Amino acid sequence: MTGIRSVGVIGAGLSGLAAAVLLARKGIQVKVYEAGHKVGGACSTTEVDGYTFNDGAVYVALSEIIDHAFDRLGIDRQAALPLRPVTSIQTTRLPDGTTITFNHGLDVRIDRTGTAASGGQSQHDLEAMLARWSPVLRLLTDELLTRPFSFSRLLWKGWRHLPKLQGTVAVELGRMISDPALRAALAGVTLYTGLPPERTPVLQIVGLVAMLTDRFYLPEGGMSRIPAVLADALASHGGQVHLDSWVSRILVEGGRVVGLDVAGHGRQEFDAVVSSTSAMTTITRLLDPGRASGGLARKVAATPLSHKALSLQLGLSNTIDAPSHFMSRIPFMEEQYRLLPPSGASANWLNYTVPTVTMPELAPPGGSIVELYPTIDQDKSAEDWTDEQANEIAEAAIHKLSRIHPIEIAVRRVRSPRYFQDRMNLYHGAIYGLSPAAGFRAQFPHRGPVPGLYQAGQTTYPGYGIGPAIMSGIFAAEAIV
């Protein structure tokens, strides 16, 4: 589109900031309006009494996508955003007492009888899995996720890999990994999707490839450094970010977008608008009824949402004996579906993250941080959650954790699905927007339903993740210029 001189951006998350930076570099006047009191959205942090807690994203995977995005935005990633590798990645304990630890790359140790072992058939299976799936990961990082989605491009570049993309994580791991303990530990890594391995699309296995090829990182200074770098780049090009500025309406006159109605700012006129909140929110709340076509309205109603979450974060005055960044006590793969619906109070299964294993400075000296996402009822709407209910589940999770580690709690932070909906503006509290099981057709286009409106963020291609979220903002901005 030509003749665009000013753009308003809704949301100062990664995608909104990335869109704003690219537009400002092109000489366009850009103003970003963020409902919260800080930038970053789901990639921000909150400090409480010296403990730095993640507000959403907990690590960086596939840094090459961030490198590509920062190149497009004119930012020297290595200088502006140093990344610290997560070297002690995951420790999993199974019901029979077996412990599996993932260290560097293919350094995987399986302890069944108190004597650690590595190599053998398990090493061969992992090497075969990498040989099969590493080309798919390279296809994603080098060819697909760095360009707007195109079925023709997918067929042209990836036709030989398409047969691999049929099926589930459970089927693929069952076929490739002979050791049930290793299979369970690998399947457990994919439980972040909120789906059991039997329902998780096999493409999610590329996350395991990323883990096994040393591609998990934390930004120096914590996750909030990523949006801070983008915000600094935006300011250097004359762009503005307005915090505590809730957008109540996208203004449409004469059949096209003309601006935004912003709390505390009133009517703000723009030649175009980029919305980085979910497409569902854009269409159902920010636009006047009837602005979207019937087909798009039906798509919103049928959108497969991701799971909801309850977050429990503990600031401890002691350090715990956690050997890895990610810790889990889970059943074997065939029983992992039990982790997802509400579980009984007697269940000892637990997944938790200890970010201070990788970055001790996130806590005061001698302290540590533990982050947990206890199992909750997915049929319960975000509106129905109360603080009392959330705290009851948190207490049960703390009790389970205290049976594993001695813990001295200095600070605790509990956030329910209602918090994620009301305070972080996540549609119906769905933490990833679209379900990880959703196909490409479930994603929304970068060109909105009204001329002059553009969409970025998790519900557009390429979707969930740090690098992909930044790329989605770049794609939306490039659709304008």
Side-chain angles (χ1 to χ4, degrees), residues 38 44-48 52-56 310-315 370-372 391 394 409 411-415 419 423-424:
K38 57 188 172 184
S44 57
T45 59
T46 294
E47 184 172 325
V48 181
T52 301
F53 296 125
N54 293 312
D55 292 334
L310 185 147
S311 168
L312 167 61
Q313 297 170 310
L314 302 175
V370 179
E371 300 181 333
L372 309 91
N391 283 318
I409 300 174
V411 175
R412 84 175 193 173
R413 185 184 187 216
V414 180
R415 295 176 296 159
Y419 178 99
R423 299 285 296 278
M424 296 191 69

Side-chain angles (χ1 to χ4, degrees), residues 279-280 283-284 292-305 427 434 438-447 459-461:
M280 297 83 75
I283 293 167
T284 62
S293 66
L296 198 55
R298 288 190 294 272
K299 181 172 183 174
V300 169
T303 295
L305 299 179
Y427 186 72
L434 297 181
F440 294 127
R441 289 184 175 86
Q443 294 170 325
F444 288 79
H446 291 287
R447 293 183 183 274
T459 54
T460 61
Y461 188 77

Side-chain angles (χ1 to χ4, degrees), residues 417-480:
R418 185 164 188 169
Y419 178 99
F420 286 109
Q421 174 185 268
D422 296 347
R423 299 285 296 278
M424 296 191 69
N425 304 310
L426 301 182
Y427 186 72
H428 292 333
I431 60 172
Y432 298 154
L434 297 181
S435 167
F440 294 127
R441 289 184 175 86
Q443 294 170 325
F444 288 79
H446 291 287
R447 293 183 183 274
V450 181
L453 175 60
Y454 299 84
Q455 184 71 44
Q458 289 184 339
T459 54
T460 61
Y461 188 77
Y464 169 74
I466 300 296
I470 298 173
M471 289 306 307
S472 76
I474 290 173
F475 294 159
E478 289 178 340
I480 295 175

Side-chain angles (χ1 to χ4, degrees), residues 310 380 384-394:
L310 185 147
K380 187 174 183 176
D384 291 338
W385 279 90
T386 66
D387 290 343
E388 291 76 15
Q389 292 166 337
N391 283 318
E392 181 179 353
I393 292 175

Side-chain angles (χ1 to χ4, degrees), residues 14 43 57-70 75-87 104 214-230 325 358-359 361 466-467 470:
L14 297 183
C43 185
V58 298
Y59 65 94
V60 170
L62 306 180
S63 63
E64 56 265 53
I65 299 178
I66 298 180
D67 289 345
H68 179 92
F70 274 33
I75 303 171
D76 183 344
R77 200 280 301 162
Q78 292 187 351
L81 188 70
L83 299 176
R84 185 181 303 183
V86 179
T87 54
H104 294 282
D214 294 329
R215 300 195 200 180
F216 283 9
Y217 305 88
L218 290 186
E220 295 290 349
M223 298 301 294
S224 62
R225 280 299 304 157
I226 304 174
V229 169
L230 293 174
H325 190 101
T358 303
M359 197 165 281
E361 60 268 33
I466 300 296
I470 298 173

Side-chain angles (χ1 to χ4, degrees), residues 140-182:
L140 289 172
T141 57
D142 297 346
E143 297 289 347
L144 298 182
L145 298 181
T146 55
R147 295 174 174 83
F149 181 72
S150 163
F151 274 108
S152 60
R153 184 173 186 81
L154 174 62
L155 292 174
W156 174 39
K157 292 288 187 178
W159 62 269
R160 62 174 56 86
H161 300 299
L162 293 180
K164 301 177 187 177
L165 304 184
Q166 305 300 314
T168 66
V169 164
V171 169
E172 185 70 4
L173 290 179
R175 188 181 71 82
M176 298 208 71
I177 306 298
S178 56
D179 185 339
L182 179 58

Side-chain angles (χ1 to χ4, degrees), residues 58-247:
V58 298
Y59 65 94
V60 170
L62 306 180
S63 63
E64 56 265 53
I65 299 178
I66 298 180
D67 289 345
H68 179 92
F70 274 33
D71 283 344
R72 300 264 281 268
L73 297 175
I75 303 171
D76 183 344
R77 200 280 301 162
Q78 292 187 351
L81 188 70
L83 299 176
R84 185 181 303 183
V86 179
T87 54
S88 300
I89 302 175
Q90 170 116 356
T91 295
T92 299
R93 187 174 178 86
L94 298 173
D96 66 354
T98 300
T99 299
I100 304 93
T101 301
F102 296 95
N103 293 307
H104 294 282
L106 293 180
D107 178 9
V108 180
R109 303 185 68 79
I110 303 174
D111 183 350
R112 290 187 175 86
T113 61
T115 302
S118 59
Q121 185 61 44
S122 293
Q123 196 79 9
H124 173 78
D125 290 349
L126 289 173
E127 290 171 357
M129 187 176 76
L130 289 186
R132 176 173 168 82
W133 286 97
S134 290
V136 178
L137 181 59
R138 286 196 300 272
L139 175 67
L140 289 172
T141 57
D142 297 346
E143 297 289 347
L144 298 182
L145 298 181
T146 55
R147 295 174 174 83
F149 181 72
S150 163
F151 274 108
S152 60
R153 184 173 186 81
L154 174 62
L155 292 174
W156 174 39
K157 292 288 187 178
W159 62 269
R160 62 174 56 86
H161 300 299
L162 293 180
K164 301 177 187 177
L165 304 184
Q166 305 300 314
T168 66
V169 164
V171 169
E172 185 70 4
L173 290 179
R175 188 181 71 82
M176 298 208 71
I177 306 298
S178 56
D179 185 339
L182 179 58
R183 189 162 60 234
L186 290 168
V189 175
T190 69
L191 289 172
Y192 75 90
T193 63
L195 300 169
E198 293 79 12
R199 290 179 51 209
T200 302
V202 69
L203 183 60
Q204 296 294 332
I205 212 164
V206 298
L208 301 180
V209 176
M211 180 184 75
L212 294 170
T213 52
D214 294 329
R215 300 195 200 180
F216 283 9
Y217 305 88
L218 290 186
E220 295 290 349
M223 298 301 294
S224 62
R225 280 299 304 157
I226 304 174
V229 169
L230 293 174
D232 288 345
L234 175 61
S236 72
H237 294 291
Q240 299 177 18
V241 176
H242 298 277
L243 302 176
D244 299 309
S245 298
W246 178 271
V247 174

